Amino acid sequence: MGIKGLMPFLSDSAPSCVKETKMEAMTGRVIAIDASMCLYQFLVAVRQGASQSNLANEAGEVTSHIQGFLSRTVRLLECGIRPVYVFDGKPPELKRETLREREERKQEADGELAAAMESGDADAIKKASHRTVRATPQMNADVQELLRLLGVPVVLAPCEAEASCAALCKAGKVYATATEDMDALTFGTPKMLKNLFDTESSRTAQKRPVFELTLSRVLEQLDVSMATFIDFCILCGCDYCGTIRGIGPATAFKLLKLHGSLEAAVATIDANKLPPEEQWQISEARALFSSPPQVDPSQVDLKWTSPDVAGLKSFLIDRHSFNEGRVTKVVERLSACRAAGSQSRLESFFTAKAPKTLPASEKFNPFAKRAAGSPATKRAREIGGGSNTGKAKVQRKQLS
DNA sequence: ACTCTGAATCCAGACGTA
DNA sequence: TGATTCAGAGT
DNA sequence: TACGTCC
């Protein structure tokens, strides 16, 4: 979920916070990853056959998530990235309504799935089954065991994973948080990576680059404090409050600039357009974003160790019916990158990156008129890091 | 006229082989 | 669930 | 690159 419409808004209004990069550029870095989100994605994506069923072991237990985590993690390690997987804890009370709605939709999908199976409509089965996915405690335990065997650190967040990722990043324990969820920024992650796992797959031809977002640049170019940014995100719409019809990022930002505080901005809105009281706990949402329950980074000891080969084989082959030959290959890949695993980045000499201040002229003005005329203004994908020398690198091939 | 929101729609991993 | 596209409401 | 397979 995250913050409604935040990414397009930042691309347009604070382009200097977005930098294009590649996974290969992350070699030697420690990256925090929202494990619960990965788990969900693997369950949705790793499927097969007309019935779109998950992979399963001989006992009939789903193994899609194990397959997904295994191959992705090996890929990261081969790339010299040191991943830290952060698991969700107990969801905050404020999220209750969001979770209730989500569960409601899943139950609807359950019904649709049953109906589709009845009628044998393969297409409908496929669509409905993707919406009925639920991550079970057992699946979380499976993944944690796998990661332990791989020698990759696991962090159990007390509450939202994104909040603990942010804490680790603020403390300098990780370089960035890799997530698709924009509220990582709202939780205060200094750096986040978006699309890190996008594969250069063929079909869609839309190989999006990895985006590196820098929170300090967001605040600088939008010319707001962190507190105001949090208020802005709440007004845009987040998991913890309802949304206000007719208010999106652009309007939300103008209102905050005009009136200073969230309360003052909201006071100018027709009262019966606001969500009901119980879904509009502004100050509670604000508190959750600014000081959420999170791990204490000083208590977290991150270690990457050699894999427990025997344990890994037993877990994958005996317990989960993986093919022995394939597992052997995975183990070989792991030991191959182990040698390169301790490599650290050798770039600190060059990157004495001067924290160049953004010229006032480049600060976002929400009241300025848009540059008219340019026909390509529609979706200006200027994400070149704001450098004015940046030629618009338009390399999009539009066939047909 | 222009901009924005919100509903509708499509899609969702990673690997190896041919 | 997110990204993208389109229609229509709001300004 | 396109497509089938992983369990």
Side-chain angles (χ1 to χ4, degrees):
Chain A
M1 301 229 73
I3 309 303
K4 215 176 55 170
L6 183 55
M7 186 59 194
F9 177 79
L10 292 181
S11 301
D12 281 351
S13 308
S16 76
C17 78
V18 189
K19 192 179 120 194
E20 277 187 30
T21 183
K22 294 187 204 140
M23 183 187 281
E24 294 73 46
M26 296 300 135
T27 300
R29 295 203 149 133
V30 182
I31 306 289
I33 302 169
D34 180 342
S36 307
M37 178 169 285
C38 295
L39 174 48
Y40 177 80
Q41 284 173 342
F42 289 133
L43 291 174
V44 171
V46 184
R47 291 165 176 261
Q48 191 176 25
S51 65
Q52 289 291 292
S53 57
N54 285 110
L55 305 182
N57 61 20
E58 282 176 13
E61 297 159 324
V62 171
T63 55
S64 290
H65 54 304
I66 299 173
Q67 175 77 37
F69 268 91
L70 179 64
S71 51
R72 175 174 291 181
T73 303
V74 171
R75 202 176 115 217
L76 289 171
L77 292 171
E78 278 184 322
C79 210
I81 292 173
R82 285 177 286 178
V84 180
Y85 285 99
V86 182
F87 286 79
D88 270 325
K90 182 169 170 277
E93 189 62 24
L94 277 185
K95 205 175 184 177
R96 196 178 190 160
E97 178 63 18
T98 299
L99 294 177
R100 197 189 59 72
E101 284 171 12
R102 223 175 265 178
E103 181 55 29
E104 208 169 58
R105 295 224 185 86
K106 284 188 196 208
Q107 288 190 3
E108 282 172 26
D110 286 341
E112 287 173 35
L113 180 58
M117 303 241 291
E118 193 95 5
S119 68
D121 182 344
D123 212 47
I125 291 175
K126 190 191 279 192
K127 280 184 183 161
S129 70
H130 285 199
R131 280 183 294 142
T132 61
V133 166
R134 291 174 182 82
T136 65
Q138 179 60 51
M139 292 170 179
N140 275 282
D142 291 339
V143 171
Q144 284 166 27
E145 183 170 1
L146 172 69
L147 293 170
R148 262 207 342 271
L149 294 168
L150 286 171
V152 168
V154 163
V155 171
L156 303 181
C159 192
E160 298 277 50
E162 302 292 350
S164 286
C165 290
L168 292 171
C169 194
K170 278 191 243 187
K173 291 262 180 176
V174 307
Y175 170 77
T177 302
T179 182
E180 303 310 304
D181 201 337
M182 293 298 289
D183 58 17
L185 288 177
T186 321
F187 279 117
T189 298
K191 263 195 197 305
M192 80 170 256
L193 297 168
K194 204 171 181 313
N195 309 334
L196 182 65
F197 305 117
D198 271 24
T199 58
E200 307 182 20
S201 80
S202 43
R203 200 85 50 96
T204 43
Q206 287 253 4
K207 50 168 185 186
R208 282 172 316 185
V210 180
F211 291 141
E212 179 173 317
L213 287 91
T214 306
L215 179 58
S216 61
R217 302 226 171 213
V218 174
L219 303 180
E220 187 179 20
Q221 192 159 27
L222 293 182
D223 198 21
V224 294
S225 64
M226 185 63 200
T228 302
F229 180 66
I230 290 173
D231 281 1
F232 165 64
C233 291
I234 293 171
L235 197 47
C236 287
C238 66
D239 285 352
Y240 310 125
C241 282
T243 58
I244 305 172
R245 216 195 147 103
I247 307 275
T251 310
F253 195 80
K254 287 178 193 164
L255 284 175
L256 277 170
K257 278 286 179 180
L258 279 175
H259 303 106
S261 73
L262 183 51
E263 285 78 4
V266 167
T268 67
I269 299 170
D270 187 354
N272 49 20
K273 283 197 165 187
L274 296 180
E277 173 96 17
E278 67 276 11
Q279 288 164 52
W280 192 241
Q281 313 276 331
I282 297 176
S283 53
E284 288 82 355
R286 187 188 271 151
L288 187 50
F289 278 126
S290 58
S291 53
Q294 59 192 32
V295 291
D296 174 356
S298 70
Q299 300 298 106
V300 175
D301 189 26
L302 301 178
K303 280 212 176 80
W304 292 264
T305 66
S306 303
D308 173 352
V309 174
L312 195 56
K313 287 193 166 176
S314 166
F315 176 78
L316 291 174
I317 299 168
D318 302 336
R319 175 78 223 285
H320 290 294
S321 316
F322 276 58
N323 176 282
E324 183 170 354
R326 287 182 215 275
V327 172
T328 302
K329 278 190 183 162
V330 165
V331 170
E332 281 167 8
R333 285 172 66 191
L334 278 172
S335 44
C337 61
R338 188 54 51 186
S342 50
Q343 71 200 339
S344 52
R345 298 177 63 84
L346 277 226
E347 59 158 8
S348 28
F349 305 110
F350 307 95
T351 56
K353 45 174 89 172
K356 52 184 172 186
T357 313
L358 195 73
S361 60
E362 295 212 12
K363 300 218 169 183
F364 173 56
N365 177 357
F367 306 106
K369 296 218 168 188
R370 294 285 178 150
S374 169
T377 321
K378 291 290 186 184
R379 282 273 165 251
R381 295 207 151 269
E382 313 289 333
I383 313 190
S387 73
N388 29 16
T389 61
K391 326 239 177 196
K393 35 181 161 184
V394 179
Q395 53 197 25
R396 185 164 326 167
K397 303 179 193 168
Q398 201 76 352
L399 298 183
S400 87

